[in-house]
Amino acid sequence: MIVVHHLNNSRSQRVLWLLEELELPYEIKRYQRDSKTMLAPAALREVHPLGKSPVLSDGELTLAESGAIIEYLVERHGQGRLVPPPGTPERLRYTYWLHFAEGSAMPPLVMKLVFDRIAKGPMPFFVRPVARAIAGRVKSGFIEPNIARQLDYMEAELGRSTWFAGAEFSAADIQMSFPVEAAAARGGLDAKRPRLMEYLGRIHAREPYRRALERGGEFSILT
Ligand SMILES: N[C@@H](CCC(=O)N[C@@H](CS)C(=O)NCC(=O)O)C(=O)O
């Protein structure tokens, strides 16, 4: 039986969604973030040493990293669904976006969250102006321009095809959904990039996406 080690409000929502798209049976083992630190509980480190979500168990296998999990599920259980045929330009784009999501898109979005928290977090009053100034410089000089450049690029790519890998919806769209959701939540993505906003709308309208939300429970973007 496939078991998803699922942390509330997290990237593991994508794995539930993929399993719903593939109509595979699965169980959810739930973990709750600490309400103050928002970190995963120590119990998740008993499943995988890094204690991050998602983690997938399938028989003897334990696998972390959402991209690796998605590749595994599609290859092992997908029967050719949600992946373009090998050797096609779409397959290469599929691979590219599958990696881009966590390798390029997420790091500046996570950095933004961290630096926003630094600026707002508790600290002695005399440190606050300095901390805020440093956080502001890093955000305006590095983080936000990177996010904006990536969003412009994604917006342009969605002008080439309906979905990230081509004309067909693929598992790369599931992987890409998280950075696009995160950008809409806190990365400045809005109606000025209509293709990305429309893409989000199309994702949210999918039945398997909705079923995964129902099974996963609360979902809002954190890290
Ligand atoms: N690149 C990893 C990132 C995993 C990750 O950072 N997961 C977050 C949830 S979205 C997490 O477990 N955060 C809680 C913590 O760090 O304690 C993946 O895509 O699986």
Side-chain angles (χ1 to χ4, degrees):
M1 173 56 87
I2 293 172
V3 179
V4 182
H5 298 272
H6 175 64
L7 182 68
N8 60 313
N9 298 325
S10 85
R11 286 163 169 90
S12 49
Q13 189 61 42
R14 284 185 295 203
V15 177
L16 306 186
W17 177 20
L18 174 61
L19 288 161
E20 291 292 339
E21 291 277 353
L22 294 174
E23 297 178 303
L24 294 171
Y26 65 97
E27 280 173 11
I28 301 178
K29 189 154 178 357
R30 294 174 194 279
Y31 301 81
Q32 207 64 24
R33 289 180 187 267
D34 181 286
S35 60
K36 284 211 178 72
T37 64
M38 300 316 284
L39 294 176
L44 205 44
R45 287 203 290 274
E46 288 162 25
V47 186
H48 186 277
L50 298 182
K52 303 269 180 197
S53 174
V55 180
L56 186 90
S57 311
D58 188 9
E60 294 299 297
L61 174 81
T62 302
L63 187 62
E65 272 301 329
S66 49
I69 293 170
I70 287 178
E71 278 203 74
Y72 167 78
L73 285 173
V74 166
E75 271 172 31
R76 175 79 178 79
H77 298 286
Q79 297 171 321
R81 288 169 295 166
L82 300 185
V83 55
T88 59
E90 286 79 11
R91 180 59 167 264
L92 200 53
R93 288 179 75 194
Y94 168 88
T95 304
Y96 174 81
W97 291 110
L98 207 59
H99 287 268
F100 178 89
E102 287 295 323
S104 290
M106 282 312 294
L109 289 162
V110 173
M111 281 178 78
K112 176 146 191 330
L113 181 82
V114 170
F115 278 86
D116 281 345
R117 281 200 187 151
I118 288 174
K120 288 182 201 139
M123 65 188 90
F125 74 93
F126 52 88
V127 178
R128 186 176 297 277
V130 179
R132 279 198 179 150
I134 293 171
R137 292 275 302 262
V138 176
K139 280 199 295 181
S140 64
F142 178 72
I143 299 173
E144 285 161 358
N146 267 293
I147 294 175
R149 205 171 305 127
Q150 289 186 344
L151 288 176
D152 286 343
Y153 172 55
M154 292 183 228
E155 176 77 7
E157 286 290 299
L158 285 181
R160 287 178 65 197
S161 58
T162 313
W163 299 100
F164 275 108
E168 305 293 328
F169 175 79
S170 77
D173 292 298
I174 296 180
Q175 181 73 339
M176 278 300 292
S177 67
F178 197 81
V180 179
E181 302 256 26
R186 60 176 141 82
L189 172 58
D190 58 20
K192 287 192 226 87
R193 294 188 181 88
R195 291 191 196 110
L196 279 166
M197 294 307 284
E198 195 261 338
Y199 172 83
L200 266 187
R202 263 185 286 137
I203 278 173
H204 293 163
R206 289 180 80 85
E207 253 330 292
Y209 178 94
R210 289 162 180 268
R211 281 202 304 274
L213 275 188
E214 269 164 39
R215 279 203 67 178
E218 58 166 335
F219 177 59
S220 65
I221 297 278
L222 297 164
T223 61

